[in-house]
Amino acid sequence: MVELGAWGMAVAKRRGMARARVAIARKLATILHRMWIDGAEFRFGCEKASAAGASRMIAATA
């Protein structure tokens, strides 16, 4: 989640805090939707995601 916070702060600097909140909410919603569709389980902590799963998540949120 550290990366998400840094990304959100960069959006806030460029576009303002209100748009950054919406952007973060949308990004989280997209990730959760992909997890729901794929049937993926939430992994909390430092456990690394598989390369295929990580690339799908990144592509889905870009």
Side-chain angles (χ1 to χ4, degrees):
M1 285 299 189
V2 173
E3 295 88 10
L4 184 62
W7 178 82
M9 290 307 295
V11 172
K13 285 181 183 177
R14 288 191 313 267
R15 305 290 293 176
M17 189 59 78
R19 287 190 188 219
R21 284 188 193 117
V22 173
I24 290 173
R26 182 181 171 100
K27 187 175 277 267
L28 285 172
T30 303
I31 291 169
L32 291 173
H33 181 260
R34 290 305 312 167
M35 288 176 69
W36 179 44
I37 294 299
D38 291 344
E41 292 184 18
F42 178 72
R43 292 182 307 272
F44 183 78
C46 295
E47 183 180 335
K48 297 293 181 186
S50 69
S55 63
R56 276 196 316 263
M57 281 293 186
I58 292 169
T61 60

